[in-house]
Amino acid sequence: DTAVSQTPKYLVTQMGNDKSIKCEQNLGHDTMYWYKQDSKKFLKIMFSYNNKELIINETVPNRFSPKSPDKAHLNLHINSLELGDSAVYFCASSQRDRGLSGNTIYFGEGSWLTVV
Amino acid sequence: GEDVEQSLFLSVREGDSSVINCTYTDSSSTYLYWYKQEPGAGLQLLTYIFSNMDMKQDQRLTVLLNKKDKHLSLRIADTQTGDSAIYFCAFNTGGFKTIFGAGTRLFVKA
């Protein structure tokens, strides 16, 4: 009954390769996100989709391309991987509630990407 | 611009109370959150508070909000070794973008 699930959990790959990380949420949320957490644990938003529409696109190299086939899925494709892409990538989802919880974000377990 | 600041480290003895502090700059912050990240895991929502509240208590957790000083704190009573983790504060102004602090690493000594 995992709420936000992403695969793979661990990925080791060589520079220059292309890789994808998949994400699915079963919470019925309208909004999904990709966050990047670096080695110092800083968490930065990369992309957000609401009902399959891109709504947040931070300053991210265009080697990173998100794809949302439906509102329960948001995949992240990375072309021409570089050493600096090594990080933990978190998928997340939320449902805006103009009541007391706002836009509470629920995270997946993370995908540890190591580029060698 | 939007910014959230937290001290990076906190060390306490088991059984003591821990207080993790956070300051934010955006006065229109409407929703404020605390998340916990254990090693090798994702961020887990601990609690949240709406900006029209000053305090929220949930078992061992107490959240205090001082809107005037833009200061948010999380108090953990009777801290246990299992509470050792990174604690992130975050705020949202009602839109889709949530801003996270850098995280406070809590070390609990037995």
Side-chain angles (χ1 to χ4, degrees):
Chain A
D1 60 344
T2 305
V4 182
S5 57
Q6 49 185 115
T7 55
K9 186 170 173 85
Y10 301 102
L11 183 54
V12 181
T13 187
Q14 290 189 324
M15 275 197 310
N17 283 351
D18 302 339
K19 290 294 176 186
S20 292
I21 307 172
K22 296 186 175 181
C23 180
E24 176 182 5
Q25 55 96 4
N26 63 4
L27 295 167
H29 288 168
D30 288 337
T31 310
M32 295 186 72
Y33 309 80
W34 278 108
Y35 280 84
K36 179 180 179 180
Q37 187 175 47
D38 64 22
S39 57
K40 294 183 179 174
K41 305 297 184 185
F42 295 129
L43 197 66
K44 294 199 103 170
I45 189 168
M46 299 173 69
F47 302 103
S48 177
Y49 274 73
N50 185 57
N51 281 317
K52 301 194 298 174
E53 184 181 336
L54 181 66
I55 54 170
I56 295 175
N57 184 357
E58 294 294 292
T59 309
V60 176
N62 57 15
R63 298 183 294 104
F64 290 78
S65 52
K67 282 194 173 46
S68 182
D70 55 62
K71 72 175 193 177
H73 295 84
L74 181 62
N75 304 323
L76 182 66
H77 189 76
I78 315 170
N79 287 329
S80 304
L81 277 154
E82 299 177 358
L83 293 177
D85 297 332
S86 296
V88 184
Y89 293 85
F90 286 102
C91 179
S93 73
S94 70
Q95 182 69 32
R96 283 175 76 183
D97 167 11
R98 296 193 185 277
L100 292 181
S101 67
N103 189 43
T104 305
I105 294 178
Y106 295 88
F107 285 87
E109 288 293 295
S111 294
W112 268 251
L113 172 65
T114 302
V115 182
V116 297
Chain B
E2 308 151 328
D3 197 13
V4 181
E5 290 196 2
Q6 303 179 236
S7 52
L8 288 185
F9 299 99
L10 177 65
S11 179
V12 300
R13 290 185 191 276
E14 192 175 22
D16 288 350
S17 291
S18 307
V19 179
I20 302 171
N21 295 302
C22 174
T23 57
Y24 57 96
T25 56
D26 194 327
S27 57
S28 61
S29 297
T30 307
Y31 306 98
L32 301 106
Y33 308 88
W34 284 103
Y35 285 83
K36 176 183 181 183
Q37 185 180 27
E38 297 182 356
L43 277 73
Q44 171 198 354
L45 177 68
L46 278 181
T47 187
Y48 59 84
I49 191 167
F50 189 48
S51 61
N52 70 353
M53 300 164 70
D54 297 324
M55 185 182 93
K56 182 177 180 182
Q57 186 148 6
D58 184 1
Q59 299 182 334
R60 292 191 297 123
L61 304 179
T62 303
V63 179
L64 293 177
L65 175 61
N66 181 329
K67 289 183 286 294
K68 176 174 167 290
D69 295 338
K70 299 178 193 170
H71 183 264
L72 182 72
S73 68
L74 174 69
R75 178 177 180 268
I76 306 172
D78 187 25
T79 313
Q80 302 298 306
T81 54
D83 294 324
S84 292
I86 304 176
Y87 291 82
F88 292 90
C89 70
F91 74 86
N92 178 278
T93 56
F96 292 105
K97 198 169 179 181
T98 298
I99 306 299
F100 286 81
T104 298
R105 289 118 184 95
L106 175 64
F107 299 97
V108 182
K109 295 176 284 190

mmCIF file with all atom_site columns, all heavy atoms in Angstrom, chain A residues 24-46:
data_model
loop_
_atom_site.group_PDB
_atom_site.id
_atom_site.type_symbol
_atom_site.label_atom_id
_atom_site.label_alt_id
_atom_site.label_comp_id
_atom_site.label_asym_id
_atom_site.label_entity_id
_atom_site.label_seq_id
_atom_site.pdbx_PDB_ins_code
_atom_site.Cartn_x
_atom_site.Cartn_y
_atom_site.Cartn_z
_atom_site.occupancy
_atom_site.B_iso_or_equiv
_atom_site.pdbx_formal_charge
_atom_site.auth_seq_id
_atom_site.auth_comp_id
_atom_site.auth_asym_id
_atom_site.auth_atom_id
_atom_site.pdbx_PDB_model_num
ATOM 1   N N   . GLU A 1 24 ? 5.300  6.567  -9.248  1.00 0.00 ? 24 GLU A N   1
ATOM 2   C CA  . GLU A 1 24 ? 3.855  6.368  -9.268  1.00 0.00 ? 24 GLU A CA  1
ATOM 3   C C   . GLU A 1 24 ? 3.293  6.706  -7.908  1.00 0.00 ? 24 GLU A C   1
ATOM 4   O O   . GLU A 1 24 ? 3.904  6.395  -6.890  1.00 0.00 ? 24 GLU A O   1
ATOM 5   C CB  . GLU A 1 24 ? 3.542  4.908  -9.617  1.00 0.00 ? 24 GLU A CB  1
ATOM 6   C CG  . GLU A 1 24 ? 2.070  4.548  -9.577  1.00 0.00 ? 24 GLU A CG  1
ATOM 7   C CD  . GLU A 1 24 ? 1.814  3.085  -9.892  1.00 0.00 ? 24 GLU A CD  1
ATOM 8   O OE1 . GLU A 1 24 ? 2.778  2.310  -10.048 1.00 0.00 ? 24 GLU A OE1 1
ATOM 9   O OE2 . GLU A 1 24 ? 0.640  2.713  -9.990  1.00 0.00 ? 24 GLU A OE2 1
ATOM 10  N N   . GLN A 1 25 ? 2.135  7.332  -7.878  1.00 0.00 ? 25 GLN A N   1
ATOM 11  C CA  . GLN A 1 25 ? 1.469  7.585  -6.588  1.00 0.00 ? 25 GLN A CA  1
ATOM 12  C C   . GLN A 1 25 ? 0.034  7.049  -6.642  1.00 0.00 ? 25 GLN A C   1
ATOM 13  O O   . GLN A 1 25 ? -0.640 7.180  -7.665  1.00 0.00 ? 25 GLN A O   1
ATOM 14  C CB  . GLN A 1 25 ? 1.511  9.073  -6.224  1.00 0.00 ? 25 GLN A CB  1
ATOM 15  C CG  . GLN A 1 25 ? 0.958  10.036 -7.254  1.00 0.00 ? 25 GLN A CG  1
ATOM 16  C CD  . GLN A 1 25 ? -0.484 10.459 -7.051  1.00 0.00 ? 25 GLN A CD  1
ATOM 17  O OE1 . GLN A 1 25 ? -1.124 10.082 -6.064  1.00 0.00 ? 25 GLN A OE1 1
ATOM 18  N NE2 . GLN A 1 25 ? -1.007 11.248 -7.975  1.00 0.00 ? 25 GLN A NE2 1
ATOM 19  N N   . ASN A 1 26 ? -0.367 6.457  -5.532  1.00 0.00 ? 26 ASN A N   1
ATOM 20  C CA  . ASN A 1 26 ? -1.722 5.891  -5.457  1.00 0.00 ? 26 ASN A CA  1
ATOM 21  C C   . ASN A 1 26 ? -2.588 6.654  -4.461  1.00 0.00 ? 26 ASN A C   1
ATOM 22  O O   . ASN A 1 26 ? -3.533 6.102  -3.894  1.00 0.00 ? 26 ASN A O   1
ATOM 23  C CB  . ASN A 1 26 ? -1.665 4.399  -5.123  1.00 0.00 ? 26 ASN A CB  1
ATOM 24  C CG  . ASN A 1 26 ? -1.062 4.126  -3.756  1.00 0.00 ? 26 ASN A CG  1
ATOM 25  O OD1 . ASN A 1 26 ? -0.752 5.056  -3.005  1.00 0.00 ? 26 ASN A OD1 1
ATOM 26  N ND2 . ASN A 1 26 ? -0.881 2.861  -3.433  1.00 0.00 ? 26 ASN A ND2 1
ATOM 27  N N   . LEU A 1 27 ? -2.229 7.928  -4.250  1.00 0.00 ? 27 LEU A N   1
ATOM 28  C CA  . LEU A 1 27 ? -2.970 8.757  -3.298  1.00 0.00 ? 27 LEU A CA  1
ATOM 29  C C   . LEU A 1 27 ? -4.107 9.525  -3.955  1.00 0.00 ? 27 LEU A C   1
ATOM 30  O O   . LEU A 1 27 ? -4.854 10.216 -3.268  1.00 0.00 ? 27 LEU A O   1
ATOM 31  C CB  . LEU A 1 27 ? -2.012 9.751  -2.627  1.00 0.00 ? 27 LEU A CB  1
ATOM 32  C CG  . LEU A 1 27 ? -0.934 9.099  -1.757  1.00 0.00 ? 27 LEU A CG  1
ATOM 33  C CD1 . LEU A 1 27 ? 0.144  10.113 -1.408  1.00 0.00 ? 27 LEU A CD1 1
ATOM 34  C CD2 . LEU A 1 27 ? -1.545 8.522  -0.488  1.00 0.00 ? 27 LEU A CD2 1
ATOM 35  N N   . GLY A 1 28 ? -4.194 9.466  -5.274  1.00 0.00 ? 28 GLY A N   1
ATOM 36  C CA  . GLY A 1 28 ? -5.209 10.233 -5.983  1.00 0.00 ? 28 GLY A CA  1
ATOM 37  C C   . GLY A 1 28 ? -4.898 11.720 -6.061  1.00 0.00 ? 28 GLY A C   1
ATOM 38  O O   . GLY A 1 28 ? -5.784 12.535 -6.314  1.00 0.00 ? 28 GLY A O   1
ATOM 39  N N   . HIS A 1 29 ? -3.642 12.086 -5.837  1.00 0.00 ? 29 HIS A N   1
ATOM 40  C CA  . HIS A 1 29 ? -3.250 13.493 -5.862  1.00 0.00 ? 29 HIS A CA  1
ATOM 41  C C   . HIS A 1 29 ? -3.178 14.024 -7.284  1.00 0.00 ? 29 HIS A C   1
ATOM 42  O O   . HIS A 1 29 ? -2.922 13.279 -8.224  1.00 0.00 ? 29 HIS A O   1
ATOM 43  C CB  . HIS A 1 29 ? -1.887 13.670 -5.189  1.00 0.00 ? 29 HIS A CB  1
ATOM 44  C CG  . HIS A 1 29 ? -1.925 13.501 -3.711  1.00 0.00 ? 29 HIS A CG  1
ATOM 45  N ND1 . HIS A 1 29 ? -0.775 13.373 -2.942  1.00 0.00 ? 29 HIS A ND1 1
ATOM 46  C CD2 . HIS A 1 29 ? -2.957 13.443 -2.838  1.00 0.00 ? 29 HIS A CD2 1
ATOM 47  C CE1 . HIS A 1 29 ? -1.122 13.257 -1.668  1.00 0.00 ? 29 HIS A CE1 1
ATOM 48  N NE2 . HIS A 1 29 ? -2.432 13.273 -1.584  1.00 0.00 ? 29 HIS A NE2 1
ATOM 49  N N   . ASP A 1 30 ? -3.390 15.336 -7.404  1.00 0.00 ? 30 ASP A N   1
ATOM 50  C CA  . ASP A 1 30 ? -3.320 15.971 -8.723  1.00 0.00 ? 30 ASP A CA  1
ATOM 51  C C   . ASP A 1 30 ? -1.915 16.444 -9.089  1.00 0.00 ? 30 ASP A C   1
ATOM 52  O O   . ASP A 1 30 ? -1.631 16.673 -10.261 1.00 0.00 ? 30 ASP A O   1
ATOM 53  C CB  . ASP A 1 30 ? -4.245 17.202 -8.754  1.00 0.00 ? 30 ASP A CB  1
ATOM 54  C CG  . ASP A 1 30 ? -5.715 16.817 -8.771  1.00 0.00 ? 30 ASP A CG  1
ATOM 55  O OD1 . ASP A 1 30 ? -6.032 15.690 -9.184  1.00 0.00 ? 30 ASP A OD1 1
ATOM 56  O OD2 . ASP A 1 30 ? -6.539 17.649 -8.362  1.00 0.00 ? 30 ASP A OD2 1
ATOM 57  N N   . THR A 1 31 ? -1.067 16.628 -8.091  1.00 0.00 ? 31 THR A N   1
ATOM 58  C CA  . THR A 1 31 ? 0.230  17.260 -8.331  1.00 0.00 ? 31 THR A CA  1
ATOM 59  C C   . THR A 1 31 ? 1.370  16.317 -7.965  1.00 0.00 ? 31 THR A C   1
ATOM 60  O O   . THR A 1 31 ? 1.330  15.655 -6.929  1.00 0.00 ? 31 THR A O   1
ATOM 61  C CB  . THR A 1 31 ? 0.354  18.550 -7.498  1.00 0.00 ? 31 THR A CB  1
ATOM 62  O OG1 . THR A 1 31 ? -0.813 19.356 -7.705  1.00 0.00 ? 31 THR A OG1 1
ATOM 63  C CG2 . THR A 1 31 ? 1.585  19.346 -7.909  1.00 0.00 ? 31 THR A CG2 1
ATOM 64  N N   . MET A 1 32 ? 2.368  16.288 -8.829  1.00 0.00 ? 32 MET A N   1
ATOM 65  C CA  . MET A 1 32 ? 3.562  15.472 -8.569  1.00 0.00 ? 32 MET A CA  1
ATOM 66  C C   . MET A 1 32 ? 4.809  16.307 -8.787  1.00 0.00 ? 32 MET A C   1
ATOM 67  O O   . MET A 1 32 ? 4.785  17.310 -9.517  1.00 0.00 ? 32 MET A O   1
ATOM 68  C CB  . MET A 1 32 ? 3.578  14.230 -9.455  1.00 0.00 ? 32 MET A CB  1
ATOM 69  C CG  . MET A 1 32 ? 2.433  13.267 -9.153  1.00 0.00 ? 32 MET A CG  1
ATOM 70  S SD  . MET A 1 32 ? 2.527  11.721 -10.061 1.00 0.00 ? 32 MET A SD  1
ATOM 71  C CE  . MET A 1 32 ? 3.907  10.907 -9.239  1.00 0.00 ? 32 MET A CE  1
ATOM 72  N N   . TYR A 1 33 ? 5.903  15.881 -8.144  1.00 0.00 ? 33 TYR A N   1
ATOM 73  C CA  . TYR A 1 33 ? 7.130  16.664 -8.130  1.00 0.00 ? 33 TYR A CA  1
ATOM 74  C C   . TYR A 1 33 ? 8.349  15.757 -8.290  1.00 0.00 ? 33 TYR A C   1
ATOM 75  O O   . TYR A 1 33 ? 8.311  14.581 -7.928  1.00 0.00 ? 33 TYR A O   1
ATOM 76  C CB  . TYR A 1 33 ? 7.309  17.374 -6.775  1.00 0.00 ? 33 TYR A CB  1
ATOM 77  C CG  . TYR A 1 33 ? 6.146  18.167 -6.285  1.00 0.00 ? 33 TYR A CG  1
ATOM 78  C CD1 . TYR A 1 33 ? 5.063  17.543 -5.657  1.00 0.00 ? 33 TYR A CD1 1
ATOM 79  C CD2 . TYR A 1 33 ? 6.125  19.554 -6.400  1.00 0.00 ? 33 TYR A CD2 1
ATOM 80  C CE1 . TYR A 1 33 ? 3.992  18.286 -5.184  1.00 0.00 ? 33 TYR A CE1 1
ATOM 81  C CE2 . TYR A 1 33 ? 5.056  20.305 -5.918  1.00 0.00 ? 33 TYR A CE2 1
ATOM 82  C CZ  . TYR A 1 33 ? 3.988  19.660 -5.311  1.00 0.00 ? 33 TYR A CZ  1
ATOM 83  O OH  . TYR A 1 33 ? 2.928  20.403 -4.839  1.00 0.00 ? 33 TYR A OH  1
ATOM 84  N N   . TRP A 1 34 ? 9.436  16.376 -8.740  1.00 0.00 ? 34 TRP A N   1
ATOM 85  C CA  . TRP A 1 34 ? 10.770 15.805 -8.589  1.00 0.00 ? 34 TRP A CA  1
ATOM 86  C C   . TRP A 1 34 ? 11.616 16.791 -7.810  1.00 0.00 ? 34 TRP A C   1
ATOM 87  O O   . TRP A 1 34 ? 11.683 17.994 -8.148  1.00 0.00 ? 34 TRP A O   1
ATOM 88  C CB  . TRP A 1 34 ? 11.420 15.512 -9.938  1.00 0.00 ? 34 TRP A CB  1
ATOM 89  C CG  . TRP A 1 34 ? 10.975 14.221 -10.532 1.00 0.00 ? 34 TRP A CG  1
ATOM 90  C CD1 . TRP A 1 34 ? 10.158 14.050 -11.600 1.00 0.00 ? 34 TRP A CD1 1
ATOM 91  C CD2 . TRP A 1 34 ? 11.308 12.902 -10.076 1.00 0.00 ? 34 TRP A CD2 1
ATOM 92  N NE1 . TRP A 1 34 ? 9.952  12.715 -11.833 1.00 0.00 ? 34 TRP A NE1 1
ATOM 93  C CE2 . TRP A 1 34 ? 10.640 11.990 -10.914 1.00 0.00 ? 34 TRP A CE2 1
ATOM 94  C CE3 . TRP A 1 34 ? 12.104 12.396 -9.038  1.00 0.00 ? 34 TRP A CE3 1
ATOM 95  C CZ2 . TRP A 1 34 ? 10.750 10.605 -10.757 1.00 0.00 ? 34 TRP A CZ2 1
ATOM 96  C CZ3 . TRP A 1 34 ? 12.203 11.029 -8.884  1.00 0.00 ? 34 TRP A CZ3 1
ATOM 97  C CH2 . TRP A 1 34 ? 11.537 10.152 -9.736  1.00 0.00 ? 34 TRP A CH2 1
ATOM 98  N N   . TYR A 1 35 ? 12.258 16.268 -6.741  1.00 0.00 ? 35 TYR A N   1
ATOM 99  C CA  . TYR A 1 35 ? 13.198 17.033 -5.947  1.00 0.00 ? 35 TYR A CA  1
ATOM 100 C C   . TYR A 1 35 ? 14.565 16.367 -6.057  1.00 0.00 ? 35 TYR A C   1
ATOM 101 O O   . TYR A 1 35 ? 14.663 15.149 -6.175  1.00 0.00 ? 35 TYR A O   1
ATOM 102 C CB  . TYR A 1 35 ? 12.805 17.038 -4.461  1.00 0.00 ? 35 TYR A CB  1
ATOM 103 C CG  . TYR A 1 35 ? 11.723 18.020 -4.091  1.00 0.00 ? 35 TYR A CG  1
ATOM 104 C CD1 . TYR A 1 35 ? 10.378 17.696 -4.258  1.00 0.00 ? 35 TYR A CD1 1
ATOM 105 C CD2 . TYR A 1 35 ? 12.040 19.260 -3.544  1.00 0.00 ? 35 TYR A CD2 1
ATOM 106 C CE1 . TYR A 1 35 ? 9.384  18.595 -3.898  1.00 0.00 ? 35 TYR A CE1 1
ATOM 107 C CE2 . TYR A 1 35 ? 11.055 20.168 -3.176  1.00 0.00 ? 35 TYR A CE2 1
ATOM 108 C CZ  . TYR A 1 35 ? 9.728  19.826 -3.364  1.00 0.00 ? 35 TYR A CZ  1
ATOM 109 O OH  . TYR A 1 35 ? 8.748  20.711 -3.010  1.00 0.00 ? 35 TYR A OH  1
ATOM 110 N N   . LYS A 1 36 ? 15.606 17.188 -5.924  1.00 0.00 ? 36 LYS A N   1
ATOM 111 C CA  . LYS A 1 36 ? 16.978 16.667 -5.898  1.00 0.00 ? 36 LYS A CA  1
ATOM 112 C C   . LYS A 1 36 ? 17.583 16.996 -4.547  1.00 0.00 ? 36 LYS A C   1
ATOM 113 O O   . LYS A 1 36 ? 17.487 18.143 -4.082  1.00 0.00 ? 36 LYS A O   1
ATOM 114 C CB  . LYS A 1 36 ? 17.815 17.310 -7.016  1.00 0.00 ? 36 LYS A CB  1
ATOM 115 C CG  . LYS A 1 36 ? 19.269 16.859 -7.054  1.00 0.00 ? 36 LYS A CG  1
ATOM 116 C CD  . LYS A 1 36 ? 20.020 17.552 -8.192  1.00 0.00 ? 36 LYS A CD  1
ATOM 117 C CE  . LYS A 1 36 ? 21.479 17.118 -8.231  1.00 0.00 ? 36 LYS A CE  1
ATOM 118 N NZ  . LYS A 1 36 ? 22.236 17.784 -9.324  1.00 0.00 ? 36 LYS A NZ  1
ATOM 119 N N   . GLN A 1 37 ? 18.186 15.983 -3.909  1.00 0.00 ? 37 GLN A N   1
ATOM 120 C CA  . GLN A 1 37 ? 18.877 16.199 -2.634  1.00 0.00 ? 37 GLN A CA  1
ATOM 121 C C   . GLN A 1 37 ? 20.354 15.922 -2.836  1.00 0.00 ? 37 GLN A C   1
ATOM 122 O O   . GLN A 1 37 ? 20.748 14.811 -3.195  1.00 0.00 ? 37 GLN A O   1
ATOM 123 C CB  . GLN A 1 37 ? 18.311 15.297 -1.531  1.00 0.00 ? 37 GLN A CB  1
ATOM 124 C CG  . GLN A 1 37 ? 18.893 15.609 -0.155  1.00 0.00 ? 37 GLN A CG  1
ATOM 125 C CD  . GLN A 1 37 ? 18.259 14.812 0.951   1.00 0.00 ? 37 GLN A CD  1
ATOM 126 O OE1 . GLN A 1 37 ? 18.093 13.595 0.836   1.00 0.00 ? 37 GLN A OE1 1
ATOM 127 N NE2 . GLN A 1 37 ? 17.880 15.484 2.038   1.00 0.00 ? 37 GLN A NE2 1
ATOM 128 N N   . ASP A 1 38 ? 21.187 16.939 -2.582  1.00 0.00 ? 38 ASP A N   1
ATOM 129 C CA  . ASP A 1 38 ? 22.621 16.764 -2.808  1.00 0.00 ? 38 ASP A CA  1
ATOM 130 C C   . ASP A 1 38 ? 23.292 16.125 -1.594  1.00 0.00 ? 38 ASP A C   1
ATOM 131 O O   . ASP A 1 38 ? 22.631 15.770 -0.620  1.00 0.00 ? 38 ASP A O   1
ATOM 132 C CB  . ASP A 1 38 ? 23.271 18.092 -3.197  1.00 0.00 ? 38 ASP A CB  1
ATOM 133 C CG  . ASP A 1 38 ? 23.189 19.141 -2.093  1.00 0.00 ? 38 ASP A CG  1
ATOM 134 O OD1 . ASP A 1 38 ? 23.021 18.766 -0.913  1.00 0.00 ? 38 ASP A OD1 1
ATOM 135 O OD2 . ASP A 1 38 ? 23.290 20.333 -2.413  1.00 0.00 ? 38 ASP A OD2 1
ATOM 136 N N   . SER A 1 39 ? 24.615 16.016 -1.658  1.00 0.00 ? 39 SER A N   1
ATOM 137 C CA  . SER A 1 39 ? 25.358 15.303 -0.601  1.00 0.00 ? 39 SER A CA  1
ATOM 138 C C   . SER A 1 39 ? 25.284 16.024 0.742   1.00 0.00 ? 39 SER A C   1
ATOM 139 O O   . SER A 1 39 ? 25.482 15.420 1.784   1.00 0.00 ? 39 SER A O   1
ATOM 140 C CB  . SER A 1 39 ? 26.819 15.117 -1.008  1.00 0.00 ? 39 SER A CB  1
ATOM 141 O OG  . SER A 1 39 ? 27.397 16.374 -1.285  1.00 0.00 ? 39 SER A OG  1
ATOM 142 N N   . LYS A 1 40 ? 24.990 17.330 0.720   1.00 0.00 ? 40 LYS A N   1
ATOM 143 C CA  . LYS A 1 40 ? 24.833 18.075 1.966   1.00 0.00 ? 40 LYS A CA  1
ATOM 144 C C   . LYS A 1 40 ? 23.390 18.073 2.451   1.00 0.00 ? 40 LYS A C   1
ATOM 145 O O   . LYS A 1 40 ? 23.054 18.773 3.395   1.00 0.00 ? 40 LYS A O   1
ATOM 146 C CB  . LYS A 1 40 ? 25.316 19.521 1.785   1.00 0.00 ? 40 LYS A CB  1
ATOM 147 C CG  . LYS A 1 40 ? 26.809 19.618 1.532   1.00 0.00 ? 40 LYS A CG  1
ATOM 148 C CD  . LYS A 1 40 ? 27.251 21.060 1.430   1.00 0.00 ? 40 LYS A CD  1
ATOM 149 C CE  . LYS A 1 40 ? 28.759 21.112 1.207   1.00 0.00 ? 40 LYS A CE  1
ATOM 150 N NZ  . LYS A 1 40 ? 29.250 22.485 0.965   1.00 0.00 ? 40 LYS A NZ  1
ATOM 151 N N   . LYS A 1 41 ? 22.555 17.305 1.784   1.00 0.00 ? 41 LYS A N   1
ATOM 152 C CA  . LYS A 1 41 ? 21.148 17.124 2.165   1.00 0.00 ? 41 LYS A CA  1
ATOM 153 C C   . LYS A 1 41 ? 20.256 18.309 1.803   1.00 0.00 ? 41 LYS A C   1
ATOM 154 O O   . LYS A 1 41 ? 19.108 18.351 2.226   1.00 0.00 ? 41 LYS A O   1
ATOM 155 C CB  . LYS A 1 41 ? 20.982 16.805 3.665   1.00 0.00 ? 41 LYS A CB  1
ATOM 156 C CG  . LYS A 1 41 ? 21.789 15.616 4.119   1.00 0.00 ? 41 LYS A CG  1
ATOM 157 C CD  . LYS A 1 41 ? 21.343 14.349 3.408   1.00 0.00 ? 41 LYS A CD  1
ATOM 158 C CE  . LYS A 1 41 ? 22.078 13.127 3.924   1.00 0.00 ? 41 LYS A CE  1
ATOM 159 N NZ  . LYS A 1 41 ? 21.727 11.913 3.162   1.00 0.00 ? 41 LYS A NZ  1
ATOM 160 N N   . PHE A 1 42 ? 20.788 19.271 1.028   1.00 0.00 ? 42 PHE A N   1
ATOM 161 C CA  . PHE A 1 42 ? 19.917 20.350 0.574   1.00 0.00 ? 42 PHE A CA  1
ATOM 162 C C   . PHE A 1 42 ? 18.910 19.804 -0.416  1.00 0.00 ? 42 PHE A C   1
ATOM 163 O O   . PHE A 1 42 ? 19.256 19.040 -1.308  1.00 0.00 ? 42 PHE A O   1
ATOM 164 C CB  . PHE A 1 42 ? 20.729 21.477 -0.076  1.00 0.00 ? 42 PHE A CB  1
ATOM 165 C CG  . PHE A 1 42 ? 21.637 22.183 0.864   1.00 0.00 ? 42 PHE A CG  1
ATOM 166 C CD1 . PHE A 1 42 ? 22.978 22.366 0.555   1.00 0.00 ? 42 PHE A CD1 1
ATOM 167 C CD2 . PHE A 1 42 ? 21.171 22.683 2.072   1.00 0.00 ? 42 PHE A CD2 1
ATOM 168 C CE1 . PHE A 1 42 ? 23.820 23.021 1.426   1.00 0.00 ? 42 PHE A CE1 1
ATOM 169 C CE2 . PHE A 1 42 ? 22.009 23.331 2.949   1.00 0.00 ? 42 PHE A CE2 1
ATOM 170 C CZ  . PHE A 1 42 ? 23.335 23.504 2.621   1.00 0.00 ? 42 PHE A CZ  1
ATOM 171 N N   . LEU A 1 43 ? 17.674 20.225 -0.256  1.00 0.00 ? 43 LEU A N   1
ATOM 172 C CA  . LEU A 1 43 ? 16.578 19.704 -1.070  1.00 0.00 ? 43 LEU A CA  1
ATOM 173 C C   . LEU A 1 43 ? 16.078 20.814 -1.987  1.00 0.00 ? 43 LEU A C   1
ATOM 174 O O   . LEU A 1 43 ? 15.683 21.872 -1.517  1.00 0.00 ? 43 LEU A O   1
ATOM 175 C CB  . LEU A 1 43 ? 15.453 19.258 -0.132  1.00 0.00 ? 43 LEU A CB  1
ATOM 176 C CG  . LEU A 1 43 ? 14.396 18.342 -0.665  1.00 0.00 ? 43 LEU A CG  1
ATOM 177 C CD1 . LEU A 1 43 ? 14.987 16.988 -1.016  1.00 0.00 ? 43 LEU A CD1 1
ATOM 178 C CD2 . LEU A 1 43 ? 13.307 18.164 0.374   1.00 0.00 ? 43 LEU A CD2 1
ATOM 179 N N   . LYS A 1 44 ? 16.115 20.556 -3.294  1.00 0.00 ? 44 LYS A N   1
ATOM 180 C CA  . LYS A 1 44 ? 15.692 21.587 -4.240  1.00 0.00 ? 44 LYS A CA  1
ATOM 181 C C   . LYS A 1 44 ? 14.665 21.018 -5.210  1.00 0.00 ? 44 LYS A C   1
ATOM 182 O O   . LYS A 1 44 ? 14.836 19.919 -5.723  1.00 0.00 ? 44 LYS A O   1
ATOM 183 C CB  . LYS A 1 44 ? 16.885 22.103 -5.041  1.00 0.00 ? 44 LYS A CB  1
ATOM 184 C CG  . LYS A 1 44 ? 17.903 22.847 -4.221  1.00 0.00 ? 44 LYS A CG  1
ATOM 185 C CD  . LYS A 1 44 ? 18.767 23.703 -5.101  1.00 0.00 ? 44 LYS A CD  1
ATOM 186 C CE  . LYS A 1 44 ? 18.342 25.149 -4.999  1.00 0.00 ? 44 LYS A CE  1
ATOM 187 N NZ  . LYS A 1 44 ? 19.254 26.082 -5.638  1.00 0.00 ? 44 LYS A NZ  1
ATOM 188 N N   . ILE A 1 45 ? 13.637 21.794 -5.449  1.00 0.00 ? 45 ILE A N   1
ATOM 189 C CA  . ILE A 1 45 ? 12.615 21.341 -6.385  1.00 0.00 ? 45 ILE A CA  1
ATOM 190 C C   . ILE A 1 45 ? 13.162 21.456 -7.807  1.00 0.00 ? 45 ILE A C   1
ATOM 191 O O   . ILE A 1 45 ? 13.902 22.389 -8.131  1.00 0.00 ? 45 ILE A O   1
ATOM 192 C CB  . ILE A 1 45 ? 11.310 22.143 -6.226  1.00 0.00 ? 45 ILE A CB  1
ATOM 193 C CG1 . ILE A 1 45 ? 10.207 21.498 -7.050  1.00 0.00 ? 45 ILE A CG1 1
ATOM 194 C CG2 . ILE A 1 45 ? 11.518 23.612 -6.572  1.00 0.00 ? 45 ILE A CG2 1
ATOM 195 C CD1 . ILE A 1 45 ? 8.832  22.021 -6.743  1.00 0.00 ? 45 ILE A CD1 1
ATOM 196 N N   . MET A 1 46 ? 12.822 20.477 -8.623  1.00 0.00 ? 46 MET A N   1
ATOM 197 C CA  . MET A 1 46 ? 13.225 20.503 -10.026 1.00 0.00 ? 46 MET A CA  1
ATOM 198 C C   . MET A 1 46 ? 12.009 20.782 -10.909 1.00 0.00 ? 46 MET A C   1
ATOM 199 O O   . MET A 1 46 ? 12.000 21.712 -11.707 1.00 0.00 ? 46 MET A O   1
ATOM 200 C CB  . MET A 1 46 ? 13.823 19.153 -10.421 1.00 0.00 ? 46 MET A CB  1
ATOM 201 C CG  . MET A 1 46 ? 15.052 18.765 -9.634  1.00 0.00 ? 46 MET A CG  1
ATOM 202 S SD  . MET A 1 46 ? 15.577 17.087 -9.996  1.00 0.00 ? 46 MET A SD  1
ATOM 203 C CE  . MET A 1 46 ? 16.159 17.255 -11.664 1.00 0.00 ? 46 MET A CE  1
#
